[in-house]
Amino acid sequence: MKLSVIGCGYLGAVHAAAMASIGHDVVGIDVDERKIASLSKGEAPFFEPGLPEILSEGIASGRLRFSTDMADAHGADVHFVGVGTPQQKDGYAADLTYVNAAIDGLIPYLRAGDLVAGKSTVPVGTAADLAARVSPTGATLVWNPEFLREGFAVKDTVDPDRLVAGVPSGEEGDRAADILREVYHPAIAKQTPFIVTDYATAELVKVAANAFLATKISFINAMAEIAEVTGADVTQLADAIGHDARIGRRFLGAGIGFGGGCLPKDIRAFSARAEELGRGESVGFLREVDAINLRRRDRAVELVVGAFGGSVFKKNITVLGAAFKPHSDDVRDSPALDVAVKLHGLGAWVTITDPEAIENARRIHPQLNYVAERDEALRGADGVILVTEWDEYRRELSPEHAATLATGRLVVDGRNGLDAAAWRAAGWTYYGMGRP
């Protein structure tokens, strides 16, 4: 099937390459000439495991190409729209500028019978408004939200845990759902759940999922706050309640909280949209979810400062991690960078290391010191803080080896990912988040 993908950022580039990998003829379109030039050469403009391979394979096969000309979308059977919806600069609401521009640019090239499939995360009610603009062309709008995890996006696209299609009512909707089933035929053949809904439900599925995950993370971090004043161990607490099948252990890892380009801005946009609908009280708890999340960053800084007797002035602090999560080079709303900047502001000499995200971090915060190699970053450190749980910090760095490099023996575990007993046995003063 012939597909176009409008927007070749993180979502769009992965989707275009993944669709080509399962046999479709795909053109990816974006206004960013540098990005398109990079993708056309088979070079991913960001770090995502598995993407370079399917990108190069798709281009070599002739099934995948990239363009800056929207006219190249003409003739595709399905047009996926995967542009960004950032937080508005003057508030919490989502900025739909790029979504509206993509639809306006695409409309002149639509044919009767085409499918326009929205994948961007948008406020509920957006799809209905866009459908009214698309329908005069004879094309049909559907809403097909993505559920990608950075670091696992290729797998999540090719082999998703569910597919959701928000479609119009009647025969038009039935036909649209059948076309999407054809697009995702390998996943459908594996019995992947294919859930057909109305527009509003499909839009809410995405934001509700993100709101739930954010709430679960902030819940355990709220328990960490209680644990810190009672002497309880939040890690053992999470293990104990996680055995309850109704709760589960996943996303109950206390630490410095969530970041990235999705959860923070999506829960804020959800709150803003609920206010517009006159139901702000229904998701009022999300304001506290956000507040808890931000407090945990401050708490990590407090632990470092407290360990040095109240001041980190002129202390050499090594920050392990810059990306908001491992297996990614994404530094948007990164807790790691937030902690590093706060320590720098308190007078510490901060050295950051990360396997993939250094250049992205340097562009945002050039005032910090960056060292690519882990051991070099640890050399001469008065204190160490783990903020992004890459394996080379959590599992592959022994406390004995770290002791041969660092000057001091302080480690703050911002992700509760280290073996506290092992680090203490090796002579380190260990502080965790919500742990004695």
Side-chain angles (χ1 to χ4, degrees):
M1 188 177 291
K2 291 186 177 181
L3 312 177
S4 76
V5 178
I6 314 303
C8 293
Y10 181 82
L11 165 60
V14 172
H15 194 71
M19 291 299 98
S21 76
I22 61 174
H24 296 298
D25 183 4
V26 185
V27 57
I29 300 172
D30 198 288
V31 296
D32 188 328
E33 293 182 358
R34 292 179 61 185
K35 186 185 300 177
I36 291 301
S38 176
L39 289 167
S40 296
K41 292 186 289 185
E43 299 172 357
F46 50 85
F47 176 73
E48 179 61 35
L51 178 58
E53 292 80 1
I54 63 169
L55 192 59
S56 297
E57 177 190 330
I59 291 170
S61 71
R63 293 192 302 271
L64 178 62
R65 61 191 179 94
F66 294 92
S67 172
T68 58
D69 188 353
M70 187 68 85
D72 286 335
H74 183 70
D77 303 298
V78 182
H79 308 270
F80 289 98
V81 177
V83 296
T85 52
Q87 184 176 325
Q88 290 182 4
K89 294 180 180 179
D90 58 352
Y92 275 6
D95 184 348
L96 297 179
T97 299
Y98 302 112
V99 171
N100 288 323
I103 294 296
D104 288 341
L106 180 61
I107 282 174
Y109 304 105
L110 294 177
R111 305 167 302 171
D114 282 2
L115 211 63
V116 178
K119 296 199 73 67
S120 303
T121 302
V122 296
V124 60
T126 302
D129 291 340
L130 296 178
R133 290 154 58 184
V134 167
S135 60
T137 68
T140 299
L141 182 91
V142 299
W143 214 257
N144 176 219
E146 53 85 15
F147 304 101
L148 306 186
R149 300 166 296 164
E150 291 198 34
F152 304 92
V154 172
K155 177 186 181 300
D156 289 346
T157 305
V158 174
D159 190 18
D161 55 14
R162 80 280 207 194
L163 292 161
V164 175
V167 303
S169 60
E171 291 183 5
E172 183 182 16
D174 293 340
R175 175 183 171 274
D178 286 342
I179 292 173
L180 278 184
R181 287 188 181 94
E182 185 178 348
V183 170
Y184 295 115
H185 63 90
I188 298 296
K190 294 179 182 178
Q191 304 302 309
T192 297
F194 186 85
I195 303 163
V196 180
T197 73
D198 53 70
Y199 289 146
T201 303
E203 292 165 315
L204 280 172
V205 167
K206 173 62 176 180
V207 294
N210 280 354
F212 186 85
L213 294 178
T215 300
K216 193 171 184 181
I217 295 167
S218 281
F219 169 81
I220 200 62
N221 279 328
M223 296 303 99
E225 293 181 338
I226 302 300
E228 286 165 355
V229 296
T230 61
D233 188 326
V234 74
T235 302
Q236 293 181 339
L237 172 65
D239 288 341
I241 65 175
H243 284 293
D244 187 328
R246 297 169 300 174
I247 297 173
R249 184 61 174 84
R250 297 190 65 195
F251 289 90
L252 285 181
I256 60 172
F258 55 83
C262 291
L263 290 191
K265 64 100 174 172
D266 285 352
I267 64 171
R268 293 165 192 161
F270 195 8
S271 296
R273 182 57 176 151
E275 291 284 354
E276 293 170 355
L277 294 169
R279 289 294 183 268
E281 70 278 7
S282 299
V283 293
F285 66 92
L286 290 179
R287 302 282 185 175
E288 184 58 26
V289 165
D290 197 14
I292 292 168
N293 189 56
L294 296 177
R295 283 204 303 269
R296 299 315 289 166
R297 304 177 187 192
D298 291 335
R299 177 57 180 160
V301 174
E302 289 172 3
L303 285 174
V304 176
V305 173
F308 282 111
S311 175
V312 291
F313 185 67
K314 292 188 177 180
K315 296 295 184 181
N316 292 318
I317 309 296
T318 294
V319 176
L320 298 177
F324 86 96
K325 63 175 288 187
H327 313 296
S328 173
D329 64 353
D330 193 343
V331 296
R332 290 175 294 176
D333 205 351
S334 169
L337 280 186
D338 200 1
V339 167
V341 169
K342 290 177 187 296
L343 289 170
H344 175 80
L346 293 172
W349 177 251
V350 177
T351 297
I352 300 177
T353 187
D354 190 283
E356 298 292 342
I358 284 180
E359 291 310 312
N360 287 343
R362 195 195 309 272
R363 280 193 289 272
I364 300 173
H365 295 294
Q367 74 275 25
L368 303 176
N369 184 45
Y370 298 92
V371 175
E373 208 275 319
R374 182 198 67 189
D375 286 4
E376 184 60 30
L378 288 168
R379 201 175 306 279
D382 296 312
V384 179
I385 178 168
L386 171 67
V387 285
T388 309
E389 58 270 44
W390 289 94
D391 282 347
E392 65 182 82
Y393 309 145
R394 280 187 65 192
R395 295 188 172 91
E396 299 168 13
L397 176 62
S398 73
E400 294 81 10
H401 178 66
T404 68
L405 302 167
T407 301
R409 294 293 180 271
L410 166 70
V411 60
V412 173
D413 187 359
R415 294 296 183 180
N416 288 345
L418 302 175
D419 184 335
W423 282 78
R424 286 172 175 148
W428 290 79
T429 299
Y430 171 95
Y431 291 91
M433 304 288 284
R435 307 181 75 180

